[in-house]
Amino acid sequence: MEEAPKSLNFIEHIIEEDLSNGFLKKNLRFRFPPEPNGYLHIGHASSISLNFGLGLRYSAPVNLRFDDTNPAKEETEYVEAIKKDVKWLGYKWDTERYASDYFQQLYDWAVQLIKKELAYVDSQTSEEMAIQKGTPTEKGTDSPFRNQSVADNLSLFEKMKNGDFKEGTHVLRAKIDMSSSNMLMRDPIIYRILHKAHHRTNTDWCIYPMYDWTHGESDYIEQVSHSFCTLEFAMHRELYDWFLDQVYDETKVRPKQREFARRNFSHTVVSKRKLLKLVEEGVVSGWDDPRMPTISGLRRRGYTPESIKSFAETIGIAKRDNVVDVSLLEFHIREHLNKISPRVMAVLDPVKLVITNYPEGEEEWLDAENNPEDESAGDRKVPFSKELYIEKQDFREEANRKFFRLKVGGEVRLKNGYIIKAESCTKDSDGNITEIQCTYDPKSKSGSGTEESLRKVKGTLHWVSIKHAIASEVRLYDRLFTDETPDAHKDKDYMEFINPESLKVITAYVEPSLKTALPGDKFQFQRLGYFNIDVDSTSDKLVFNRTVTLRDNWAKLQQKN
RNA sequence: UGGCCCAUGGUGUAAUUGGCAACACUGCUGUUUUUGGUACAGCCAUUCAAGGUUCGAGUCCUUGUGGGCCAACCA
């Protein structure tokens, strides 16, 4: 067997090129740098899988670094949630770091910058500074504080640090170039005053470093070789390099920032700000609501780490704008769940079916295969009796021959059971079918090997025995937004596209083998879809989440007509 | 009106770096099937446009066109 050479994405090409230009493989180091201001979402899964995947590919360490420079938004709850999600995905970080670990070093370097006349304290209002900053097409003008003496700058910065000033009264800025075509180079702010307690450093600091000053220097401190971020940071690269130049020591690894396009997904939003709004306004029950595109939401919905990782690998990494269709994610979860989930029978929308020639009071336990895709999954027993539930949709009083299900005068096999024939049905005053009367062929029992049992009938239905079934809560989810790109409309807010039917709660009847199922357990409800037990489930009341439906050619056919 | 980035099927990515446009998803046709599932087979593009370099261009150059990003004491 020849090994097909795996194609590389542009990031991997960059690394391969660095390696062939003499960069030492042992110096490779990556990082995943979330800000703990929200939960990780499916878009982060790409970044996680990129960075940790690179670590695996090159046997290089990957740090988990929290970018915690803004105490106003960041919380320990998010740190814990992020760690849990990364672990759940199956990745191991080399060391757990925090940008806040470097506050002292960052401060010392800032003092150096002032001494080298590369930074100054600006005491104007943010409005004044905004005006001086110019616009993308007009150059900025110098701040009146730009040439303040080193001594004054030093003393003011010291006072900022000591908490002598109110928020917003002073900032430390880098002295670069107010006429640069890159707005970020127009004397960017390095430090601002914030009298807020930080989740790790508490009230030790009254000044906090800005992202640009922090990120590259943190990469440098950790000796990260390649620092990957999303495209909107491309313009920051010039500043990243400028800051690095001020502290760089030739004997060390110089981190390199490169940018890739963030992944967008159809029928949802992936912006922590927008997701937070859904949580705060109660549109969903929390960050882990199964409709949320967060890792924790997907986990609760029934997605597996394997499916998320194979999905991330399939969609890849590139630089162009994109909207990944959710059907691709759904393919990966179906693919995995098809292999691992036990099949069970459950009826979501029941109608009573009576087998008139089946002995009253009799019951038998039939053999049922747990998973046709996995022989080692074994068998189980399911109870059969005279009165059953089947899906309303599986019966029609009359239908054409395209309808492979039950109709009066027609035959169908009950999965793992007998071939039955519908004789009649009864209806209520509104014409709704309330009961179906059938006869069964006692010799047609599945697996019995009789001639009758080998007969081919076109349809096979799932069912549950009414007497044995467990009434359970089932939560049916649909996409959270009705629009393919809810946040891409200039004239409409994404909140206007919320799908009012994204959650439907019903009572369903499941086979008794499910009695002992535990939260997180995954099943295929035959002919319906994949479901998993929700954390709300108790021993008294089972609660299932529908992860995803099975592919359904019949439904497609129906839609066309 | 300045700067930076991007452009390959309906969608997302490839193309041994200049050598027959490939993979997956979706959709559509069939086959198999005690899940209208799964599995299997087949179908769906002259790579944004126009020039140029070259024996040869998705790939290099030029000019357009279209899209994204940049004026938070956010990251």
Side-chain angles (χ1 to χ4, degrees):
Chain A
M1 280 296 282
E2 66 192 273
E3 201 170 307
K6 186 191 172 288
S7 63
L8 306 180
N9 62 44
F10 84 98
I11 295 281
E12 291 163 333
H13 279 297
I14 287 169
I15 294 171
E16 286 297 324
E17 198 183 320
D18 287 344
L19 254 19
S20 66
N21 286 338
F23 189 89
L24 267 27
K25 183 163 174 279
K26 69 176 173 63
N27 284 340
L28 247 24
R29 179 183 281 274
F30 310 101
R31 108 264 93 117
F32 172 62
E35 183 191 10
N37 67 340
Y39 281 56
L40 259 22
H41 56 65
I42 183 68
H44 292 114
S46 272
S47 174
I48 292 170
S49 132
L50 171 69
N51 286 296
F52 284 96
L54 251 18
L56 256 21
R57 182 188 179 96
Y58 292 103
S59 314
V62 183
N63 287 346
L64 174 63
R65 184 172 75 234
F66 291 95
D67 230 333
D68 55 350
T69 57
N70 186 357
K73 292 185 184 173
E74 296 149 7
E75 296 172 25
T76 304
E77 177 203 344
Y78 296 131
V79 170
E80 296 309 320
I82 289 166
K83 284 163 66 175
K84 181 178 175 183
D85 288 347
V86 175
K87 272 188 214 161
W88 178 73
L89 283 172
Y91 291 115
K92 290 194 176 67
W93 52 84
D94 182 50
T95 55
E96 177 182 335
R97 307 290 187 107
Y98 295 82
S100 53
D101 294 342
Y102 314 134
F103 281 174
Q104 185 60 47
Q105 173 70 79
L106 257 12
Y107 177 81
D108 294 342
W109 274 333
V111 169
Q112 260 183 49
L113 242 40
I114 294 174
K115 289 180 178 164
K116 288 200 282 182
E117 298 192 58
L118 289 172
Y120 61 97
V121 172
D122 198 322
S123 307
Q124 302 180 93
T125 64
S126 59
E127 291 77 16
E128 285 168 322
M129 284 189 279
I131 292 166
Q132 288 158 9
K133 196 147 196 179
T135 70
T137 53
E138 289 168 74
K139 292 180 176 182
T141 52
D142 288 358
S143 162
F145 293 86
R146 199 168 202 265
N147 293 311
Q148 187 158 250
S149 74
V150 168
D152 287 349
N153 284 325
L154 247 18
S155 120
L156 283 166
F157 188 47
E158 170 97 35
K159 285 180 182 158
M160 282 169 64
K161 179 200 168 198
N162 292 340
D164 295 345
F165 301 125
K166 282 191 197 153
E167 286 187 13
T169 54
H170 307 271
V171 291
L172 184 71
R173 300 176 75 178
K175 192 191 285 189
I176 307 181
D177 178 9
M178 290 303 289
S179 65
S180 171
S181 59
N182 182 350
M183 299 288 292
L184 290 156
M185 299 300 277
R186 321 242 263 226
D187 290 10
I189 293 172
I190 308 177
Y191 272 96
R192 78 285 213 189
I193 299 168
L194 245 31
H195 293 286
K196 295 214 165 52
H198 184 276
H199 73 109
R200 300 198 90 221
T201 62
N202 204 288
T203 52
D204 291 355
W205 295 87
C206 301
I207 54 172
Y208 290 92
M210 299 289 287
Y211 166 83
D212 288 298
W213 173 237
T214 310
H215 203 90
E217 315 309 277
S218 298
D219 286 340
Y220 180 59
I221 291 166
E222 294 176 16
Q223 286 290 281
V224 165
S225 59
H226 299 262
S227 180
F228 302 113
C229 58
T230 45
L231 238 34
E232 66 267 29
F233 290 97
M235 298 299 291
H236 294 244
R237 190 151 109 197
E238 192 181 355
L239 183 52
Y240 181 101
D241 288 332
W242 190 92
F243 279 140
L244 227 38
D245 284 338
Q246 313 316 319
V247 302
Y248 181 56
D249 165 351
E250 300 276 335
T251 63
K252 296 204 169 143
V253 170
R254 185 186 169 101
K256 178 189 256 192
Q257 173 184 306
R258 288 297 180 270
E259 311 82 17
F260 60 90
R262 72 138 40 94
R263 254 73 264 273
N264 299 301
F265 301 90
S266 70
H267 303 281
T268 192
V269 294
V270 276
S271 138
K272 280 190 272 187
R273 204 197 85 240
K274 289 170 187 166
L275 293 173
L276 177 62
K277 193 171 170 190
L278 294 172
V279 173
E280 283 177 339
E281 299 200 357
V283 174
V284 295
S285 64
W287 285 96
D288 70 341
D289 186 297
R291 292 166 291 179
M292 290 282 271
T294 51
I295 303 296
S296 54
L298 291 167
R299 173 168 59 232
R300 193 168 168 189
R301 176 83 170 246
Y303 276 74
T304 59
E306 291 87 342
S307 67
I308 292 173
K309 285 193 281 190
S310 62
F311 167 72
E313 197 166 314
T314 302
I315 63 175
I317 291 289
K319 293 186 81 167
R320 51 176 165 162
D321 291 341
N322 59 82
V323 181
V324 181
D325 201 292
V326 284
S327 66
L328 197 47
L329 216 206
E330 290 176 349
F331 166 79
H332 285 276
I333 188 57
R334 284 192 185 109
E335 182 185 47
H336 189 218
L337 257 18
N338 176 51
K339 291 199 186 93
I340 64 165
S341 52
R343 273 59 171 170
V344 294
M345 291 196 285
V347 174
L348 301 187
D349 188 15
V351 60
K352 186 175 177 181
L353 180 147
V354 179
I355 302 170
T356 53
N357 61 339
Y358 194 83
E360 194 78 45
E362 177 150 329
E363 65 180 57
E364 56 188 313
W365 289 74
L366 307 170
D367 289 320
E369 193 182 15
N370 284 331
N371 188 347
E373 305 293 318
D374 176 12
E375 253 181 67
S376 70
D379 297 307
R380 71 182 184 290
K381 299 278 190 186
V382 290
F384 187 83
S385 66
K386 187 182 179 79
E387 296 188 336
L388 312 174
Y389 281 139
I390 64 166
E391 300 287 345
K392 270 187 190 137
Q393 288 220 322
D394 285 342
F395 176 78
R396 279 184 198 171
E397 205 170 354
E398 14 185 312
N400 63 25
R401 60 171 56 85
K402 283 279 192 63
F403 187 77
F404 302 160
R405 307 177 181 193
L406 192 61
K407 57 191 168 191
V408 172
E411 280 187 322
V412 93
R413 174 170 290 280
L414 292 176
K415 180 80 186 172
N416 305 127
Y418 299 91
I419 293 173
I420 57 168
K421 181 179 183 184
E423 307 289 351
S424 58
C425 64
T426 51
K427 296 183 223 174
D428 65 15
S429 52
D430 296 328
N432 299 313
I433 293 161
T434 54
E435 189 186 289
I436 304 157
Q437 294 87 33
C438 297
T439 52
Y440 84 120
D441 175 357
K443 293 190 189 130
S444 66
K445 185 171 170 179
S446 292
S448 63
T450 63
E451 194 180 319
E452 291 83 350
S453 74
L454 267 15
R455 263 179 65 213
K456 301 282 177 197
V457 288
K458 191 61 192 173
T460 300
L461 306 187
H462 62 275
W463 50 272
V464 291
S465 163
I466 294 178
K467 182 181 154 196
H468 304 86
I470 307 169
S472 309
E473 178 174 323
V474 172
R475 300 173 180 171
L476 303 173
Y477 300 102
D478 199 353
R479 24 202 67 160
L480 234 197
F481 295 92
T482 53
D483 191 83
E484 194 176 321
T485 52
D487 56 355
H489 299 267
K490 290 196 174 85
D491 49 332
K492 281 192 174 174
D493 189 73
Y494 68 102
M495 296 293 276
E496 292 180 43
F497 296 106
I498 287 170
N499 179 5
E501 292 176 5
S502 61
L503 170 60
K504 223 186 298 177
V505 180
I506 61 167
T507 297
Y509 296 86
V510 306
E511 63 171 69
S513 72
L514 256 15
K515 177 84 180 147
T516 53
L518 269 13
D521 285 355
K522 296 166 174 58
F523 302 95
Q524 184 196 95
F525 286 2
Q526 272 187 324
R527 301 209 305 133
L528 297 172
Y530 296 98
F531 294 73
N532 88 124
I533 305 264
D534 189 76
V535 286
D536 290 345
S537 198
T538 65
S539 53
D540 293 334
K541 185 186 182 193
L542 291 170
V543 179
F544 292 89
N545 293 319
R546 183 173 69 195
T547 308
V548 65
T549 61
L550 253 30
R551 284 186 61 205
D552 190 349
N553 285 321
W554 171 242
K556 279 179 203 156
L557 233 179
Q558 298 273 284
Q559 269 176 15
K560 271 189 272 183
N561 301 334

